[in-house]
Amino acid sequence: MKIETKCVQEGYKPKNGEPRVLPIYQSTTYKYDSADYMGKLFDLEAEGFFYTRLANPTVACVEEKIAKLEGGVGAMMTSAGQAATLIAVMTIAGAGDHIVCSAAVYGGTFNLLGVTLKKFGINVTFVDPDAELSVLEEAIRPETKAVLGETIANPALNVLDIEKFAALAHNHNIPLIVDNTFATPILCRPIEYGADIVIHSTSKYMDGHAVSLGGVIVDGGCFKWEGNEKFPEFNIPDDSYHGVTYAKDFGNAAFITKARAQLMRDLGSAPSPQNAFLLNLGLETLHLRMPCHSSNALKVAKYLENNEKITWINYPGLESSKYKKLVDKYLPNGASGVISFGIKGGREACIKFLDSLKLAAIVTHVADARTCALHPASTTHRQMTDEQLIAGGISPDLVRFSVGIENADDIIADIEQALSEI
Ligand SMILES: *Cc1c(COP(=O)(O)O)cnc(C)c1O
């Protein structure tokens, strides 16, 4: 099946007489005829559901669809994107371990790794994702257990050279985790370029309508955990889970099985069946929305590039972008829908621009069907001085613009009238 067909048809496959549409199994628990069968479920010897914290039929269908879209062997949904990042990292690393992470990542990821996981004894080195491989190598330590980056960084919009990052990880027998939230599997499938694990905030384009929070972890199935002495937890029996040995017993699904059996069990950041149902509706049109977001964003970026009130523009899909080569390689069908730009007149002009928008709404969210905009300096980052903002890579004149799937001419007309108010 082609990716468009997978969006619509994968996951839920009803049998004779069953509902055509994925049912919402709003049940925490499941009934069995014998204690013996349930015992086998607990030993992970039989297939089936026993408690919705670990698995649920509605959620499982959506996980199956996302695994197929990314080209992985299995997936696990989480209650939010943050939980997907947390569980992906903690399935691999523990106290005393180290992670190498692109410095151009989502602010929530930056805090999770740099502040919260540090308290758990996991250290991180943030690296310039655009640096040469030989420079990146300097960040790797004997105790480094994973490398992490974003396909298209939120909000910096750097495009990740996935093959370079995969080489960095694999030179040291450790996995590469790629956050593919902004690209989605419609525009890029990182596993095809060597990523071992893909994570998402499904709250963004996958959901696409800004109705439900969610995250997902996809296991690419190619990383060799078995016999890899950097990962003893994969290779010795897990006493907390009936003595299973993940690498030996679950082969290429070792990672996703360990993530579910240990951390979903212990942390409980499970998605609700209702949210999985809503996510599935979004996924059914993902292949229609992503090309539209991308072509609309390119039109808006080209318009802004030639506008005298704009001081700079950042959209990786532009010919003039320094990421053009990487876009041609990794994102040939579009560079997604988020752009950022600076307005002449700085902070005050930006506020006037935002207040004058009529179609585009001011929201903190990005990446849904409706066009929206944010001026970080006067909202999300308002406690910071101009000097602090610049040090953090957010100039006081930066506007983040998430281009929706309305008609591009209407979006441009709205920008035009708002700029004329400055
Ligand atoms: C939003 C986002 C997250 C966090 O996801 P939530 O669903 O908000 O928890 C992680 N990574 C990226 C790239 C994001 O944009």
Side-chain angles (χ1 to χ4, degrees):
M1 280 195 261
K2 303 272 193 295
I3 190 116
E4 296 81 1
T5 314
K6 288 180 186 171
C7 281
V8 182
Q9 296 282 352
E10 273 295 359
Y12 177 60
K13 301 207 171 119
K15 297 190 194 75
N16 189 39
E18 290 182 348
R20 179 65 194 97
V21 175
L22 173 63
I24 303 169
Y25 287 94
Q26 196 69 48
S27 181
T28 60
T29 193
Y30 306 85
K31 174 201 169 275
Y32 289 98
D33 290 339
S34 78
D36 181 54
Y37 190 87
M38 185 163 273
K40 289 202 171 79
L41 283 175
F42 271 93
D43 283 347
L44 302 179
E45 281 171 12
E47 294 236 346
F49 301 95
F50 47 98
Y51 194 50
T52 285
R53 168 149 43 81
L54 280 161
N56 167 280
T58 307
V59 174
C61 285
V62 186
E63 289 171 338
E64 171 73 9
K65 176 179 282 190
I66 295 172
K68 289 277 163 48
L69 288 174
E70 285 287 6
V73 295
M76 181 175 81
M77 282 176 57
T78 56
S79 51
Q82 286 299 105
T85 312
L86 172 70
I87 291 180
V89 170
M90 288 195 63
T91 298
I92 301 169
D97 290 336
H98 174 254
I99 304 291
V100 170
C101 182
S102 162
V105 286
Y106 176 65
T109 306
F110 199 84
N111 268 318
L112 170 62
L113 298 181
V115 180
T116 298
L117 285 186
K118 197 164 174 218
K119 291 185 202 161
F120 293 177
I122 298 174
N123 289 305
V124 60
T125 301
F126 291 105
V127 293
D128 173 4
D130 300 332
E132 298 284 332
L133 181 57
S134 58
V135 176
L136 295 172
E137 289 277 356
E138 290 165 18
I140 302 280
R141 304 179 193 168
E143 69 273 23
T144 307
K145 294 296 164 76
V147 176
L148 198 154
E150 289 178 13
T151 313
I152 304 173
N154 175 15
L157 305 178
N158 304 52
V159 176
L160 190 72
D161 187 343
I162 299 170
E163 286 182 353
K164 179 179 73 181
F165 265 60
L168 176 68
H170 297 162
N171 286 347
H172 302 275
N173 277 325
I174 56 176
L176 170 63
I177 305 171
V178 172
D179 183 330
N180 199 32
T181 297
F182 269 18
T184 83
I186 301 303
L187 300 177
C188 179
R189 288 176 296 283
I191 292 166
E192 293 174 5
Y193 301 101
D196 301 290
I197 295 147
V198 171
I199 56 177
H200 282 273
S201 165
T202 63
S203 322
K204 313 292 166 54
Y205 288 114
M206 278 189 164
D207 171 277
H209 303 77
V211 292
S212 60
L213 284 178
V216 70
I217 306 172
V218 182
D219 186 346
C222 294
F223 190 78
K224 224 179 135 3
W225 304 100
E226 197 167 6
N228 187 328
E229 48 193 55
K230 286 203 169 153
F231 302 101
E233 277 201 11
F234 282 82
N235 289 293
I236 53 172
D238 178 2
D239 291 336
S240 84
Y241 220 105
H242 318 285
V244 301
T245 304
Y246 294 102
K248 183 165 72 61
D249 296 347
F250 298 100
N252 68 352
F255 169 81
I256 204 71
T257 307
K258 183 173 183 289
R260 192 184 296 276
Q262 291 184 333
L263 290 181
M264 188 55 90
R265 176 196 63 186
D266 292 355
L267 301 180
S269 41
S272 74
Q274 172 80 34
N275 278 357
F277 172 84
L278 291 169
L279 174 59
N280 189 54
L281 285 184
L283 291 171
E284 287 181 359
T285 58
L286 187 64
H287 62 296
L288 300 174
R289 291 183 284 108
M290 293 316 293
C292 184
H293 280 292
S294 301
S295 66
N296 276 359
L298 184 59
K299 282 180 197 159
V300 171
K302 281 182 175 162
Y303 164 79
L304 290 170
E305 198 173 30
N306 298 316
N307 191 298
E308 51 165 29
K309 293 197 171 155
I310 302 302
T311 43
W312 57 270
I313 167 122
N314 184 7
Y315 180 63
L318 281 173
E319 286 293 328
S320 58
S321 166
K322 69 170 174 170
Y323 296 109
K324 185 70 178 76
K325 257 198 167 145
L326 291 175
V327 167
D328 287 345
K329 176 168 180 177
Y330 295 110
L331 301 156
N333 298 319
S336 199
V338 180
I339 64 182
S340 60
F341 54 89
I343 300 179
K344 226 175 255 177
R347 190 185 282 264
E348 292 312 312
C350 290
I351 292 170
K352 184 76 192 152
F353 172 75
L354 269 271
D355 288 349
S356 306
L357 288 167
K358 290 182 177 141
L359 181 147
I362 304 174
V363 303
T364 52
H365 191 65
V366 285
D368 74 75
R370 291 157 291 257
T371 295
C372 57
L374 179 74
H375 179 228
S378 66
T379 55
T380 50
H381 295 66
R382 65 180 293 131
Q383 74 284 2
M384 293 164 83
T385 64
D386 283 5
E387 291 69 35
Q388 287 173 323
L389 283 170
I390 290 162
I394 298 165
S395 56
D397 68 346
L398 181 148
V399 171
R400 185 180 70 183
F401 207 82
S402 175
V403 182
I405 56 172
E406 304 92 343
N407 186 296
D409 293 343
D410 290 334
I411 301 168
I412 290 169
D414 189 37
I415 294 173
E416 191 158 28
Q417 67 78 23
L419 284 175
S420 75
E421 293 295 321
I422 297 171

